[in-house]
Amino acid sequence: MTFFVKPVAPDRLPDLLRQMPKAELHMHIEGSLEPELIFALAQRNGVTIPYANVEALRSAYAFTNLQSFLDIYYAGASVLRTSQDFYDMAHAYFVKAALDNVVHTELFFDPQTHTARGVSMETVVDGLHRACVDAQKDVGVNASLIMCFLRHLSEEEAFETLEQALPFRDKIIGIGLDSGEIGNPPEKFARVFARCRELGFHLVAHAGEEGPPAYVWTALDVLKVERIDHGVQSSKDAALMQRLAKDRIALTVCPLSNLKLCVFPDLASHNLRQLLDAGLAATVNSDDPAYFGGYVNDNFMQTFAATGLSAQHAYTLGKNSFDASFIDAAAKRRYNDQLTACFEAFS
Ligand code: HPA
Ligand code: ZN
């Protein structure tokens, strides 16, 4: 049933966007490492980084495409060594998420970028999982973990990573696919995703960020994912748009990421409104907020300001975020009731 939202004056919309409860479903925890924390962890662990100070590092965040970002993102993650490092990184994100009224989040992590440096899977998962447990009691954020395979590596390496993760299976709700998209189509990981599916993991994949609509099709039809991460290139394929709308496949859209990685020339040209108006279950997320200039509420506020989205769109985005999450039906109902109560009280 559609909840009709009373119109909200443009100058009051930012308050509503800030206050509304929301789920964040596309957040790479390594992408929440702020330069200050990178330097603090580098010092703690005796790691050298090729930047003189925080300002020099931050000023290197001028990206031209996905790969130019990934090079700096993997370098930043190299300061993470101990379980406590992973805990501290995730805890810092949860504090910020709570301020943005994120009540539920499903965090991506990239174990291969750590295991390649000799950090064990146990170290990574233990630190992140402890932070998720504490997030609920410390700041009221419900959190779970999605392990991503790096698509520039081989399927064989993904299988090895899956093997390493199986002892911690109860701490991981799903499997994702990230890193450099072009030239690494979803079908490269057909067998390992089939195995993850047999094991009962939820499945998602980045597709249609820079890559073509064909990658979204194969993420759906070969990998059998439940959500598409990004997916903004889908608007180039009318049949794909119909499929996504008909099957209510959520797209976890990240507008500031798309802006910083030059997927769209400016936020006013972003296609979020087109996706929503075509009936797709789009959501708004931050991707790698420490690198892209904003957390989830910054994504909401800047995109609404640039594209003229309404309070009704805000409600739809909030509801889509809960409906697309991997929580049970009762929890979805509870969060959606909180969302409706927030909009009713906002008058
Ligand atoms: N795309 C692909 N891989 C990533 C991203 C992204 O936006 N962020 C972190 N790894
Ligand atoms: Zn991403």
Side-chain angles (χ1 to χ4, degrees), residues 22-57:
K22 52 190 74 75
E24 176 149 61
L25 304 178
H26 186 158
M27 229 306 288
H28 302 263
I29 194 59
E30 294 91 346
S32 74
L33 259 186
E34 293 286 348
E36 290 78 5
L37 188 53
I38 290 179
F39 270 84
L41 294 178
Q43 189 163 34
R44 188 201 268 180
N45 293 324
V47 177
T48 39
I49 38 176
Y51 296 92
N53 51 41
V54 164
E55 290 70 37
L57 177 56

Side-chain angles (χ1 to χ4, degrees), residues 308-321:
L309 290 170
S310 66
Q312 185 77 54
H313 288 114
Y315 182 83
T316 300
L317 286 163
K319 183 165 189 313
N320 288 349
S321 76

Side-chain angles (χ1 to χ4, degrees), residues 126-148:
D126 176 72
L128 296 178
H129 177 70
R130 284 191 296 115
C132 289
V133 171
D134 287 353
Q136 184 73 76
K137 44 178 213 288
D138 294 348
V139 292
V141 177
N142 188 59
S144 47
L145 297 172
I146 296 178
M147 179 176 82
C148 290

